[in-house]
Amino acid sequence: MASVATTTTTTTTTAAAGALLRRAALPPRAAPRLAAAVSARAYHGDLSSSEYHGQGARKSDSPADRPWYTSPTTLVLGFIPLFTAGLGFWQLQRLKWKVSLIEELEDKLRKDPIVLPKNINLDALSAFEFRLVQLDGSFDPDPSRILFLGPRVKDGILGYQVVVPFRRANGGADVLVNRGFVAKTQTVGEGKDRRLRNHRDAFPAKAGETKVLALLPRIYPANAFTPPNEPQNNSWFHADPKEMAAHLSPPPSNPGASTGATEDDTDHYTPSAGVAASVSSLLGLSSSSPTPVQEQTRPVLPILLEEIFEGHAGEASQRVLQGIPLGRAPTIELRNQHAVYAGTWFSLSAATAAMFAILVRRGRGR
């Protein structure tokens, strides 16, 4: 059957070529070539038309002929507005949460300062975060026990935060107080030998107790990009009260050292000891002040407070120039950029939605 069809097609093509030769008055030897051309056109269509895809090739669907909604670019562009709009609404929820948190913390800040008890329950500290604390006592006078937290930048000035043990007047263990910012130019030495240039001005030797108003902050863990602290070099890159307290505290020699009780807090009174103390007092042989060795071996609790500075801007500048640590302001310092983030996501959603609409309109217009 195939051979019969081929013979019929060839005969028809030859006859058509002969008719064309007679009409065009062409020589008979041009008949085979003209017949081949007519046969190719009959099989493949017009060579000059857009339907021709090469000799022996089949017609295939081009990307322009596909439906507009099957393009990967269109699908992705249609998903982006929904995704970015969802992120915008999520940032609005975060904004509402952050505003409520700031209001709660400001309410805590307006309350009267608390006084730390002699024995502190460390597990209950989180309930008093962002509360003002009134401290009575004195700072550790030893310059070698000052910790430099940083480097930090304040108003374009490179420096450190100064952390010092504070001796409480009620006899409890020392706590850590971040006295604030000091410029690097107001320090001397490097590493473990770093000291304040004007230590006497920063820690004047006053008679009696010192009253310090401080804030109990929330301590956040260091991120993955912050290097670890180097206590042996007095290099503290992030605040870690436990590590700082362990570095400043002496090795515990008795159970009382780990609970915040010092040797002076233990009652060693006996009748004979009382008589001996009275006689020594009458003779002027007793002294109630602890020795420097006893002062340096006081344990330090893992509690970090931040000193509050309530002066004006001129006084703050003067303290920085004199090398006196500048404490923090009595305000809540929490970043609240969620409104900006929400606006960014909604703008991106609107822009991609417009691009998607233009793409759909062009696709339907084909």
Side-chain angles (χ1 to χ4, degrees):
M1 294 294 293
S3 60
V4 173
T6 303
T7 304
T8 304
T9 303
T10 304
T11 304
T12 305
T13 303
T14 305
L20 290 174
L21 288 174
R22 288 192 296 272
R23 292 179 183 178
L26 296 176
R29 63 176 178 271
R33 287 181 294 178
L34 183 59
V38 173
S39 177
R41 181 172 181 177
Y43 182 76
H44 296 292
D46 190 1
L47 296 178
S48 62
S49 67
S50 60
E51 297 179 356
Y52 180 73
H53 299 281
Q55 185 176 2
R58 294 184 178 180
K59 181 180 178 181
S60 60
D61 295 335
S62 63
D65 296 331
R66 298 175 184 172
W68 62 270
Y69 50 82
T70 61
S71 173
T73 304
T74 305
L75 296 178
V76 172
L77 194 59
F79 173 74
I80 290 178
L82 301 177
F83 179 71
T84 51
L87 291 177
F89 285 110
W90 175 65
Q91 287 296 334
L92 289 180
Q93 294 179 355
R94 295 277 296 174
L95 174 63
K96 183 179 179 181
W97 166 79
K98 184 61 71 68
V99 171
S100 300
L101 177 62
I102 293 177
E103 291 177 354
E104 177 185 356
L105 298 182
E106 288 179 347
D107 182 65
K108 286 186 175 182
L109 201 60
R110 286 190 292 266
K111 294 182 179 180
D112 295 333
I114 62 176
V115 178
L116 296 179
K118 181 178 180 180
N119 298 318
I120 302 175
N121 182 8
L122 299 179
D123 297 332
L125 279 180
S126 58
F128 297 92
E129 291 177 346
F130 295 97
R131 287 291 303 271
L132 294 177
V133 179
Q134 183 67 51
L135 295 175
D136 295 330
S138 60
F139 290 103
D140 194 320
D142 188 356
S144 63
R145 290 170 61 82
I146 296 178
L147 306 182
F148 292 89
L149 178 62
R152 299 289 188 268
V153 177
K154 183 178 181 63
D155 298 333
I157 302 176
L158 181 64
Y160 300 93
Q161 300 282 339
V162 178
V163 180
V164 189
F166 187 86
R167 300 173 177 178
R168 296 184 291 157
N170 59 5
D174 295 355
V175 295
L176 298 169
V177 175
N178 185 349
R179 295 212 60 193
F181 177 83
V182 65
K184 185 178 180 180
T185 56
Q186 297 297 330
T187 63
V188 294
E190 294 293 336
K192 63 180 180 180
D193 298 326
R194 182 179 286 113
R195 302 288 187 270
L196 290 176
R197 186 181 298 275
N198 298 324
H199 181 81
R200 293 183 178 179
D201 294 337
F203 299 92
K206 296 181 180 179
E209 299 178 357
T210 301
K211 294 184 179 295
V212 176
L213 182 63
L215 177 73
L216 180 62
R218 177 176 298 173
I219 304 299
Y220 297 95
N223 56 42
F225 301 98
T226 303
N229 294 326
E230 300 176 2
Q232 68 279 6
N233 297 325
N234 198 11
S235 298
W236 304 89
F237 301 101
H238 65 276
D240 189 342
K242 292 184 179 180
E243 190 175 10
M244 291 177 173
H247 175 68
L248 294 173
S249 298
S253 58
N254 54 69
S258 60
T259 59
T262 62
E263 185 178 356
D264 295 337
D265 299 330
T266 306
D267 187 6
H268 298 288
Y269 178 80
T270 60
S272 58
V275 173
S278 300
V279 174
S280 299
S281 178
L282 291 175
L283 297 177
L285 300 178
S286 63
S287 176
S288 59
S289 59
T291 62
V293 176
Q294 292 174 336
E295 292 178 353
Q296 294 180 3
T297 56
R298 293 171 62 94
V300 180
L301 293 176
I303 301 175
L304 179 60
L305 304 171
E306 295 181 351
E307 184 177 348
I308 296 296
F309 173 73
E310 298 180 303
H312 51 80
E315 185 179 353
S317 301
Q318 190 68 19
R319 289 174 70 98
V320 174
L321 293 176
Q322 294 177 355
I324 302 176
L326 177 62
R328 61 169 294 166
T331 57
I332 300 300
E333 299 176 354
L334 291 179
R335 294 185 59 186
N336 187 12
Q337 301 292 327
H338 298 291
V340 177
Y341 300 153
T344 302
W345 287 122
F346 283 132
S347 300
L348 184 59
S349 176
T352 52
M355 295 172 60
F356 178 72
I358 295 174
L359 189 61
V360 170
R361 181 178 298 178
R362 289 181 178 178
R364 289 182 174 179
R366 289 202 303 262

